[in-house]
Amino acid sequence: MSVLSADIQTQVEEHLVKTGLLKANEIKKLKEEAQSKSQPFFSYLVSEDHLTNEQLTKTIATVTNVPYVNLSRAIIDPDILALLPQEIAERYMAVPLGKMQHRLVVAMLDADNVQAVDFLSNKIGHPLKVYAASEEGIRRVLGQYKSNLNQDIVGALGEQVKDDANNKAEDDKKKRTNEGIEAIVQDSPVSKALSAILEYAANSRASDIHIEPLEKELKIRARIDGVLREIMRLPKATEAPLVSRIKILSSLKIDEHRIPQDGQFTVKVGAREIDLRIAISPVVWGEQVVIRLLDKTGTSLLLEDMGYRGRALRTIREALKFPNGMVLTSGPTGSGKSTSMYALIQEIKNDEVNIVTLEDPVEYKMSGVNQIQVNADVGLTFAAGLRSILRQDPDVVMVGEIRDKETAQLAVQAALTGHLVFSTLHTNSAAGILPRLLDMGIEPFLIASTVRCVIGQRLVRRLNDEKEEYKSSGPEHAAIESTLGNLLPATEADKAKVSEDLGYKSLPLRGQSAYTLYKGKDSPDARGGFKGRMGLYEVFDVSDAIQDLVIKRSTSSEIQKAARAQGMITMREDGYLKALDGFTSLAEVDRVAGEDNA
C-alpha cells in the first residue's frame, strides 16, 4: 500500500463512514488502538479484520479517482501476460489484464505512481489504462506467469502429443488393455490439463464447458454469463486421453464411443466444491463433451434477489399459501428453473412441513429437506421415485422435471391428494405449460383443478456495479414505448403507486422524448460491462377464466392473451422494466426474450 497524504487519508476515512463500512466513533477508537501498537492505521484495519484489503483498496481508488478492479478470480490470457516480463511485473507490482480501446489495461498496487506508469508504457510499447488493485489480487495474477491456462495445458500435454505421434501403434494397443486404462488414470499431464480447464471455468463463473472435436484440433469453449466464448484450442492428439480421463472420473465406459453417456463427479476449486454433470455424445470428428458446472456458493435463494418483483412475486406467494396444488416453472435448459424451485422451498421451509424432493441431480443440498437422487440404472426414475415419495407422508413434493406422461399423472395425483407440488417443464413461455400437460395426456379438468401458478423464465446478463447513464436512441425509445405501452405511470401522482405495483423503484413517466438507460463499464472483471445474471419472469395464477380455456383445450396463445388481460407482465416487459431500473440493457433483453414474448 502506497503512503497516503494526510488529506487523502482524511477523505478515505470520510468515505468509509459515508459507505457504512465503519462508523465515525469506531474510526476514532481504532486509530487510538493502532497508535498504541505503533501500526499504520489502514494496515491495522486490515490486519484486525475490520476491513478486507479489497474494500480498502476500492475505497482509496474511489477517493483518488482511479478505476478499481478486483482480481480475486481473474484469469489472464498468457499472450497478454507475455507483454510484460515477470521480473518487471513483480518489481513494480503491476500486471497486464487485457486490451481495451487500443490500450493495454494494467492493474497496479501504486496506480498513481506516474513515473512507474510511464516506464511500463515505454517498456511494453503500448499506451496504458491503469487500474488499482489489492496486493493479494496482483500476487494472484503474478502466480499465473508460472501457471496459466494455455501454458499449463499445452505444456503438460506437449510431451504426450509427441509420444502419441512417435508411438501411435503401441499406444493404440495399450488403450485396449487394462494397462492402458491404468496409464490414463495415472497420467498426470492429462489430469493437469483437465484441472486447469475446470479451474479456469470455475474462476470465470462459467456455467458450462464445451469440448468439441474438429477435424484437426480440439476446440474448448466456456459459457460465461450465458454467452459461449472460445478459451483455447488443443492438438487433435489430446482428444482421446482427455475424454478418457473425464469418462474415468465420471464412472463411464471408456471403450464405448458409439452411444451417448451421462455421468457426474465433484471437484474442489479453492475452498469451493463444484458438482459437474457430464454429457458425452459421438459426433463426426470424435466425441463431444459438455460439462455443466453447479457452483452452489454465492447463489442467493431469495426470490427478490433472483429478480422476482411486484405482481409476479405476489402471485407466487399467494400460490404458496395453498396446502395443495401445483406450481410449475418453464424455460429452456440453463434458465434457472431448478434454482427457482429451491427458492420456493426456501420460502416455505420450516419444522412443521415435511419436504421431499426427487432430482437429477441434486444441485443444492438443503438442510431440513429430504432430497432423493434419481438413478435410472437401478430403476429409480422420476415416476418410480414419486410413487415412493407419496408413501413418506410428505407435505411438499418437488419433482425436478416432468418428462413423460407417467410422471405427469403421478404429480397431478399428488396435488389432488393434499400435497403441494413443485416441478419444471420445457416450454417457451408460461402459457405453454398448460397445453404441454394436455399433450402428455392429462385430462383438462385435472389440470384446471390442480395447477395454481405457472412461471416462465429466462436469464439475462446483469450490468456491472460501475455503470453510466445515457439517453435512449430513436429505435430504443420506440421499443420502450411499444413494449411497455400503458404500464408506465402517466403522471407524477401515479408514479409511487405504479412503482409499488410493478416492484421497480425508479420508473419514468410514459411519453418522454427520451428515456434514461444504463450501460456497464467494460473492465477486465466485467467483459462488455456485464457481471453475473438475473431472471426475467412471467407469472400468472390459473384463474376461473384460464381454467375454462384449459377445459376447452385452448392454445397457448389464447391462454397468454387471457393471462395478460388479468395483469401478467411478460418476460420482455419485465426485462424492459429491469433495463429502465439499471439492472440490464435493452439489447440484452432483446437477445434473450425477443419478440415472441411481446
Side-chain angles (χ1 to χ4, degrees):
M1 187 183 302
S2 58
V3 178
L4 302 177
S5 67
D7 182 48
I8 295 296
Q9 286 190 46
T10 301
Q11 291 181 51
V12 170
E13 291 169 14
E14 291 173 351
H15 195 78
L16 290 172
V17 174
K18 181 180 177 182
T19 55
L21 292 172
L22 289 174
K23 296 179 181 177
N25 58 346
E26 286 180 316
I27 289 179
K28 183 178 180 181
K29 180 183 176 183
L30 292 170
K31 267 189 168 182
E32 293 172 354
E33 292 177 6
Q35 190 173 6
S36 67
K37 296 181 180 181
S38 301
Q39 287 190 32
F41 175 51
F42 292 140
S43 298
Y44 178 75
L45 290 179
V46 173
S47 65
E48 295 297 318
D49 294 328
H50 295 289
L51 285 179
T52 66
N53 221 327
E54 294 297 338
Q55 288 173 326
L56 181 58
T57 303
K58 185 175 182 179
T59 301
I60 293 173
T62 301
V63 168
T64 56
N65 292 317
V66 176
Y68 159 82
V69 62
N70 186 334
L71 300 179
S72 59
R73 290 191 176 187
I75 302 290
I76 309 305
D77 190 302
D79 294 335
I80 297 296
L81 290 177
L83 295 174
L84 186 63
Q86 183 178 355
E87 180 185 349
I88 294 177
E90 289 177 344
R91 186 192 312 164
Y92 287 91
M93 288 300 286
V95 290
L97 304 180
K99 292 181 178 178
M100 184 190 304
Q101 299 172 346
H102 308 296
R103 292 190 292 173
L104 184 68
V105 179
V106 174
M108 296 181 65
L109 186 63
D110 193 5
D112 55 356
N113 186 332
V114 178
Q115 291 180 331
V117 172
D118 288 342
F119 173 82
L120 290 173
S121 179
N122 292 330
K123 183 69 180 177
I124 297 171
H126 283 82
L128 303 183
K129 179 167 180 61
V130 180
Y131 281 75
S134 68
E135 182 176 351
E136 288 94 334
I138 289 174
R139 290 199 182 280
R140 186 183 182 285
V141 175
L142 287 173
Q144 294 176 39
Y145 274 93
K146 297 177 182 177
S147 174
N148 63 62
L149 185 64
N150 279 349
Q151 288 174 351
D152 268 359
I153 295 176
V154 177
L157 293 176
E159 187 176 341
Q160 179 174 317
V161 172
K162 184 178 179 182
D163 289 344
D164 283 348
N166 294 335
N167 306 295
K168 187 175 188 303
E170 183 180 345
D171 286 347
D172 288 344
K173 181 180 178 182
K174 282 185 177 181
K175 284 174 185 174
R176 299 189 197 100
T177 67
N178 288 334
E179 178 190 353
I181 293 174
E182 187 67 23
I184 292 173
V185 171
Q186 297 177 352
D187 187 13
S188 59
V190 172
S191 298
K192 187 176 181 182
L194 182 59
S195 296
I197 292 171
L198 294 175
E199 182 177 0
Y200 175 88
N203 289 332
S204 301
R205 308 183 309 277
S207 60
D208 303 270
I209 302 168
H210 293 241
I211 301 175
E212 301 167 332
L214 305 178
E215 183 178 6
K216 297 180 180 179
E217 57 188 344
L218 191 65
K219 181 168 72 172
I220 298 176
R221 297 190 291 172
R223 189 178 295 280
I224 301 172
D225 290 339
V227 178
L228 272 174
R229 299 172 184 166
E230 183 176 322
I231 58 176
M232 67 181 311
R233 295 195 178 210
L234 293 175
K236 183 69 174 176
T238 64
E239 179 190 336
L242 189 60
V243 174
S244 294
R245 178 61 179 159
I246 293 171
K247 286 182 178 179
I248 289 166
L249 291 171
S250 310
S251 300
L252 303 177
K253 298 177 182 178
I254 70 167
D255 59 345
E256 180 58 76
H257 308 288
R258 300 164 300 171
I259 60 174
Q261 297 188 75
D262 296 328
Q264 62 186 65
F265 63 96
T266 301
V267 295
K268 195 165 186 178
V269 177
R272 297 177 291 155
E273 275 200 352
I274 299 176
D275 292 334
L276 306 176
R277 292 166 61 180
I278 314 300
I280 301 178
S281 300
V283 293
V284 173
W285 300 115
E287 289 182 279
Q288 179 189 33
V289 182
V290 177
I291 303 174
R292 169 72 59 84
L293 288 83
L294 303 172
D295 185 358
K296 290 156 282 194
T297 59
T299 301
S300 172
L301 294 180
L302 293 176
L303 292 170
E304 290 89 345
D305 292 344
M306 293 167 59
Y308 287 99
R309 297 284 188 277
R311 298 176 191 175
L313 188 58
R314 290 192 297 273
T315 301
I316 290 173
R317 286 185 168 149
E318 284 298 318
L320 295 179
K321 292 178 182 178
F322 286 94
N324 55 62
M326 299 176 72
V327 177
L328 301 175
T329 302
S330 73
T333 301
S335 61
K337 299 187 299 296
S338 296
T339 307
S340 286
M341 294 292 100
Y342 285 113
L344 298 182
I345 289 176
Q346 187 71 31
E347 189 86 6
I348 63 173
K349 188 181 72 168
N350 62 59
D351 288 340
E352 298 175 358
V353 179
N354 179 22
I355 303 174
V356 185
T357 74
L358 187 64
E359 307 172 57
D360 183 22
V362 174
E363 297 184 14
Y364 298 90
K365 295 177 178 65
M366 301 179 73
S367 62
V369 177
N370 303 297
Q371 297 173 273
I372 300 173
Q373 168 75 54
V374 167
N375 186 349
D377 293 338
V378 297
L380 180 54
T381 61
F382 277 114
L386 191 48
R387 285 194 197 92
S388 173
I389 285 175
L390 296 179
R391 294 191 289 269
Q392 297 175 23
D393 186 32
D395 298 296
V396 178
V397 177
M398 180 185 121
V399 182
E401 184 182 345
I402 294 178
R403 297 175 178 172
D404 51 44
K405 179 179 179 179
E406 187 178 10
T407 306
Q409 287 175 333
L410 287 167
V412 169
Q413 290 299 321
L416 281 172
T417 54
H419 305 90
L420 188 57
V421 179
F422 302 147
S423 193
T424 68
L425 292 93
H426 285 276
T427 65
N428 288 327
S429 65
I433 290 178
L434 304 178
R436 179 78 181 105
L437 290 174
L438 289 171
D439 291 341
M440 287 183 171
I442 307 301
E443 291 295 334
F445 72 91
L446 292 177
I447 299 172
S449 59
T450 56
V451 180
R452 304 290 184 191
C453 169
V454 293
I455 304 167
Q457 65 182 78
R458 298 284 193 281
L459 291 177
V460 291
R461 291 180 292 173
R462 186 193 293 261
L463 291 178
N464 190 23
D465 290 338
E466 294 186 26
K467 49 182 173 259
E468 54 190 32
E469 298 180 359
Y470 72 97
K471 292 298 182 182
S472 59
S473 63
E476 288 173 329
H477 180 273
I480 293 170
E481 291 279 325
S482 63
T483 300
L484 295 182
N486 295 325
L487 284 177
L488 295 178
T491 65
E492 285 291 341
D494 297 333
K495 198 170 185 179
K497 182 180 178 181
V498 173
S499 293
E500 183 180 357
D501 179 45
L502 298 178
Y504 293 94
K505 294 181 292 185
S506 52
L507 293 180
L509 298 179
R510 78 173 78 125
Q512 296 186 19
S513 58
Y515 292 95
T516 300
L517 296 171
Y518 302 84
K519 57 184 176 180
K521 292 185 178 180
D522 192 15
S523 74
D525 194 38
R527 293 184 182 181
F530 295 100
K531 185 176 181 181
R533 290 191 289 175
M534 71 185 308
L536 305 184
Y537 304 99
E538 55 185 26
V539 181
F540 66 86
D541 65 313
V542 181
S543 63
D544 292 342
I546 292 177
Q547 286 179 1
D548 291 340
L549 290 175
V550 172
I551 291 172
K552 294 175 184 175
R553 296 181 178 269
S554 300
T555 63
S556 58
S557 60
E558 291 173 312
I559 294 172
Q560 173 92 349
K561 185 177 179 181
R564 295 201 67 181
Q566 67 186 32
M568 182 189 79
I569 304 296
T570 67
M571 279 185 274
R572 191 161 188 254
E573 290 168 344
D574 188 37
Y576 272 47
L577 290 170
K578 284 181 167 69
L580 290 174
D581 220 18
F583 290 109
T584 188
S585 68
L586 290 188
E588 177 67 6
V589 174
D590 288 338
R591 180 183 72 84
V592 172
E595 294 291 341
D596 57 318
N597 294 302

